[in-house]
């Protein structure tokens, strides 16, 4: 399973929509992992990779997603370290266009594939002890990626983006009274969590469903 955060719009979407794009990408991977396991097959992920339109903020989010994927207990072909120029963009001579590798870049990606993974077809599928995205419920003993050093910067940029478009962020569409809220802005859903807990946002949360 090899997909791109760039294809989810991370490189070009408004700042207020970046967290949603990140979460959509991660949750989509988790859904496909479940589908693969339901077929009694072993999921293997292609790691994240560069895009020449990433900036410092989106590059940090790209690396955060890579760290999150590493907790899912599935094999990953780690492409970013061999393709990345250190700023989220392609190393010189490894890209065809802003979003895709050239032949040499593809060769580097191929060399990251652990071929020994395909030599154990008769063994049981490893148990995935935890599969989650950055915004999902975690046990307290696990690393909480939602509270990264990015969050304050991301929230500040979201506010600046909304104000720049003449649409300052209005009152929350939903609040739980403990510090968790959801704001709707230009069709995007922005999640604010000032608590020390992490939340699962689902249709089964009736109060939230009614508000949205």
């Amino acid at each position: 399973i090899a997909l791109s955060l760039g294809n989810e719009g991370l490189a070009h979407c408004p700042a207020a929509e970046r967290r949603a794009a990140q979460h959509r990408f991660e949750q989509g991977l988790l859904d496909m992992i479940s589908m693969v396991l339901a077929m009694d097959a072993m999921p293997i992920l292609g790691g994240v990779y560069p895009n020449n339109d990433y900036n410092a903020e989106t590059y940090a989010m790209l690396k955060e997603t890579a760290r999150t994927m590493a907790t899912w207990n599935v094999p990953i072909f780690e492409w970013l370290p061999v393709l990345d120029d250190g700023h989220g963009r392609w190393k010189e001579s490894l890209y065809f266009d802003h979003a895709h590798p050239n032949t040499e870049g593809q060769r580097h990606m191929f060399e990251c594939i652990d071929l020994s993974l395909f030599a154990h077809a008769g063994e049981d599928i490893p148990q995935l002890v935890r599969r989650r995205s950055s915004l999902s419920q975690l046990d307290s003993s696990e690393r909480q990626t939602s509270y990264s050093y990015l969050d304050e910067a991301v929230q500040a940029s979201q506010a600046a983006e909304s104000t720049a478009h003449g649409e300052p962020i209005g009152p929350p569409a939903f609040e739980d009274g403990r510090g968790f809220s959801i704001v709707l802005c230009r069709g995007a859903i922005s999640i604010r969590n000032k608590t020390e807990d992490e939340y699962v946002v689902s249709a089964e949360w009736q109060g939230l469903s009614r508000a949205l």
Side-chain angles (χ1 to χ4, degrees), residues 4 14 32 50 59 93 107 109 115-117 119 128 136 139 149 158 161-162 177 179 182 192:
S4 168
M32 284 186 280
Y59 178 42
S93 79
R107 184 181 67 80
M109 295 170 79
L115 296 179
S116 68
L117 289 170
L128 303 186
S136 297
D139 294 335
Y149 60 91
Q158 288 174 350
E161 179 76 11
S162 296
I182 291 182
R192 300 286 188 268

Side-chain angles (χ1 to χ4, degrees), residues 56-128:
E57 182 180 296
T58 51
Y59 178 42
M61 295 177 74
L62 183 78
K63 292 189 292 183
E64 182 185 41
T65 288
R67 293 193 299 269
T68 297
M69 291 169 61
T71 70
W72 293 345
N73 196 29
V74 297
I76 301 175
F77 302 146
E78 296 289 0
W79 290 327
L80 192 63
V82 301
L83 303 174
D84 175 26
D85 71 348
H87 302 282
R89 296 179 283 273
W90 298 94
K91 288 181 179 177
E92 198 64 37
S93 79
L94 295 185
Y95 62 94
F96 172 74
D97 59 23
H98 72 285
H100 300 97
N102 58 15
T103 299
E104 184 65 13
Q106 290 173 345
R107 184 181 67 80
H108 279 62
M109 295 170 79
F110 174 77
E111 290 176 349
C112 293
I113 297 175
D114 181 3
L115 296 179
S116 68
L117 289 170
F118 303 95
H120 306 289
E123 294 185 0
D124 293 337
I125 299 174
Q127 292 296 314
L128 303 186

